[in-house]
Amino acid sequence: MATKIRLQRGGRKGYAFYRIVIADARAPRDGRFTEKIGTYNPNTNPATVDLNFERALYWVETGAQPTDTVRNILSDEGVYLMKHLRGGVRKGAFDEEAAQRKFDAWKADKQRGLDKVREAEQKAKKEAAQKALDAEKKVNEAIAKKVAEKKAAAEAAAQEAAAPAEEAPAEA
């Protein structure tokens, strides 16, 4: 039986949510599957992946063929790197501990990169909010200035109207 690692669609219209499943290659996309190994939500930024790493590694090592999207997901999660490192261990290039250290170093480096991206996004959001606040303050100041000018003009008109009224009784 040829097995595939593929995405199985869920979620509502316009808001896709996928399960990462092991299925027979002949089964339809949303049909019967052997095992669910994770989920993928492309609607978040960055996309959210919840993966059972050990089961994914097992299925990749046993020859299950992933679809292109799932291959990218597994690669980003480090499944293919771990498969490569385990191959090196089997060949005697290095031991299991060295392979785990290399994998942990890769994972830490990847996490640092993700943290930098998140910080940059937060900084951009704060700057955009600050610019919007500054623009709103300028608009409010302009409105306040116009209101003050109208009040001053109304007071001046009221004083002009009151001044002739005061002069009239004095002349009579």
Side-chain angles (χ1 to χ4, degrees), residues 46-49 51 53 71-82 101-119:
T48 306
V49 176
L51 185 68
F53 188 85
R71 178 177 284 117
N72 289 335
I73 291 169
L74 295 178
S75 179
D76 288 345
E77 293 296 311
V79 173
Y80 278 101
L81 177 63
M82 184 55 89
R101 277 196 313 268
K102 286 183 181 185
F103 182 76
D104 292 340
W106 173 84
K107 196 72 166 173
D109 187 46
K110 182 175 174 69
Q111 189 62 41
R112 279 193 299 274
L114 290 174
D115 290 343
K116 285 182 183 178
V117 168
R118 286 189 185 113
E119 288 174 10

Side-chain angles (χ1 to χ4, degrees), residues 33-81:
F33 61 90
T34 307
E35 181 181 353
K36 175 185 166 190
I37 60 171
T39 59
Y40 169 62
N41 185 0
N43 301 305
T44 60
N45 186 16
T48 306
V49 176
D50 180 28
L51 185 68
N52 183 340
F53 188 85
E54 292 301 319
R55 291 306 293 170
L57 184 60
Y58 165 78
W59 282 105
V60 167
E61 286 179 338
T62 55
Q65 294 298 311
T67 59
D68 293 338
T69 305
V70 174
R71 178 177 284 117
N72 289 335
I73 291 169
L74 295 178
S75 179
D76 288 345
E77 293 296 311
V79 173
Y80 278 101
L81 177 63

Side-chain angles (χ1 to χ4, degrees), residues 1-7 20-27 33-35 37 59 63-68 70-71:
M1 173 176 101
T3 56
K4 299 278 281 182
I5 305 175
R6 64 165 56 140
L7 296 176
I20 303 170
V21 298
I22 308 300
D24 183 8
R26 298 168 292 185
F33 61 90
T34 307
E35 181 181 353
I37 60 171
W59 282 105
Q65 294 298 311
T67 59
D68 293 338
V70 174
R71 178 177 284 117

